[in-house]
Amino acid sequence: MNRTNYMAQHVEQYLALRRAFGFQLSIVGQQLQHFARFADRTAGGQPLTQELALRWAQSSSTGKQTTAARRLLILRPFTRYLRTVEPLTEIPPDRILGPAQYRCIPYIYTDKEMRTLLEAASSLRPRGGLRARSFGTYLRLLSCTGMRPAEPLRLTCADVDFQSDTLTVRQTKFSKSRIVVLHPTATKALQEYARVRDSFVKYPRSPAFFLSDDGSAFHHKKAIRAFRYLRRRLGWVRPGCHLPRLYDMRHTFVCRRLLAWHRDGVDLHVVSPRMLRDQLADELDLSAGDHLVAVAKFILHAPEPSREVRRT
């Protein structure tokens, strides 16, 4: 084997083997090729050592610890392969640089905080304009559906079906869409917003359901700016404190829905095993400081039913 591109050849052989089994490895492949160039340039022809792996992982231009940890996570399967053909290869210990992904601790809104936020939204400027109505209705829709923050703002008027109490939510990932069923009270609130919106904007410049005063779409960046303004105004921005986010309304919805199901005696492992195992186990933490999180934790660790559950 040519010692000048020693690591590059091993990486190519590894990628060819994995891809033969159907793995695409596009991003992983790019990262491993980057490592190979680094290794051949700085330690040409030498075995892959833990020191070399750490130097490459920490050489990222971002300087972030999570980026270095993610690089090492990508490298570990390759080192295990390489050791079968190069016995002097050293496999870096797992999580030696910490977790490869940082998860924000969810903030679970209390009823009082939700009321305060909605009241503050009604006073957004311009007074008497459409902005306060759009943002307030948007927040209410988030709180009662658990939708992701950007999803309601991608709705068009054609996506909102008042007759069947449904929304067609278009997802950017994989170009998919899903149907969200609304409670009749939510449908009524959206109908009222649409009536007010149409009285404000005679000639809309966008087919979006949520509009700004000038008839353009009330897009996600406008919602983020409005939320951050209200967060500061309400005094929710304090040094050293976890900041509430729009996305935390989704976490709050999940907690409250689980709590309601638990009170009704619903078998949660059958209703939503993926929500329980994937989302709650990874994202909920007792330090979020709300009794709903403690209830969700309790439900999460409840014994699973003895019968086999079909996972879909």
Side-chain angles (χ1 to χ4, degrees), residues 6-258:
Y6 166 81
M7 199 62 69
Q9 292 178 65
H10 277 305
V11 164
E12 288 303 318
Q13 291 170 2
Y14 169 76
L15 292 175
L17 178 64
R18 294 290 306 279
R19 285 166 177 160
F21 284 94
F23 296 95
Q24 294 186 356
L25 302 179
S26 54
I27 297 177
V28 170
Q30 293 172 10
Q31 289 291 308
L32 289 178
Q33 289 167 346
H34 183 275
F35 165 74
R37 291 192 294 270
F38 177 88
D40 288 335
R41 184 176 68 252
T42 62
Q46 300 300 312
L48 197 165
T49 63
Q50 180 177 313
E51 185 272 336
L52 175 63
L54 289 172
R55 274 198 293 120
W56 173 72
Q58 296 173 319
S59 68
S60 168
S61 58
T62 67
K64 294 181 179 179
Q65 185 76 3
T66 51
T67 302
R70 195 174 299 117
R71 280 186 162 197
L72 211 56
L73 184 67
I74 289 173
L75 193 58
R76 272 174 53 82
F78 170 67
T79 60
R80 289 195 293 269
Y81 156 82
L82 188 58
R83 194 170 192 173
T84 64
V85 293
E86 295 289 348
L88 296 179
T89 299
E90 296 178 0
I91 301 175
D94 188 25
R95 297 172 69 90
I96 191 173
L97 295 178
Q101 184 173 3
Y102 172 74
R103 288 185 181 272
C104 292
I105 298 174
Y107 187 97
I108 309 301
Y109 291 92
T110 65
D111 289 338
K112 181 179 179 181
E113 288 171 332
M114 287 299 303
R115 288 194 299 269
T116 302
L117 179 61
L118 292 172
E119 289 171 4
S122 66
S123 63
L124 283 172
R125 294 182 179 180
R127 295 293 175 84
L130 188 59
R131 183 185 182 214
R133 288 270 191 167
S134 294
F135 189 63
T137 306
Y138 160 73
L139 288 179
R140 287 176 170 83
L141 187 58
L142 284 183
S143 68
C144 73
T145 61
M147 295 168 70
R148 296 174 180 86
E151 289 176 338
L153 302 176
R154 289 199 293 265
L155 293 171
T156 66
C157 293
D159 294 329
V160 183
D161 189 340
F162 295 128
Q163 300 302 316
S164 61
D165 295 329
T166 60
L167 305 174
T168 301
V169 180
R170 306 183 190 284
Q171 299 170 279
T172 54
K173 190 174 183 180
F174 307 127
S175 299
K176 291 183 177 181
S177 63
R178 71 178 191 277
I179 301 297
V180 173
V181 180
L182 299 173
H183 190 275
T185 56
T187 303
K188 185 177 180 180
L190 292 181
Q191 284 180 310
E192 175 60 17
Y193 168 76
R195 184 190 66 78
V196 173
R197 177 202 64 201
D198 293 344
S199 68
F200 267 88
V201 182
K202 300 297 184 183
Y203 304 102
R205 296 160 51 191
S206 168
F209 183 79
F210 289 101
L211 295 179
S212 299
D213 290 83
D214 62 357
S216 63
F218 189 80
H219 53 68
H220 193 213
K221 288 183 179 179
K222 293 180 180 179
I224 291 290
R225 285 197 295 269
F227 177 76
R228 288 177 177 171
Y229 165 75
L230 293 178
R231 189 172 62 183
R232 289 192 304 270
R233 180 176 155 189
L234 293 172
W236 291 354
V237 179
R238 296 183 295 275
C241 292
H242 176 56
L243 297 180
R245 304 168 302 159
L246 278 174
Y247 202 96
D248 289 318
M249 299 188 76
R250 178 172 168 84
H251 293 302
T252 302
F253 171 84
V254 170
C255 286
R256 295 183 187 279
R257 188 67 262 162
L258 286 173

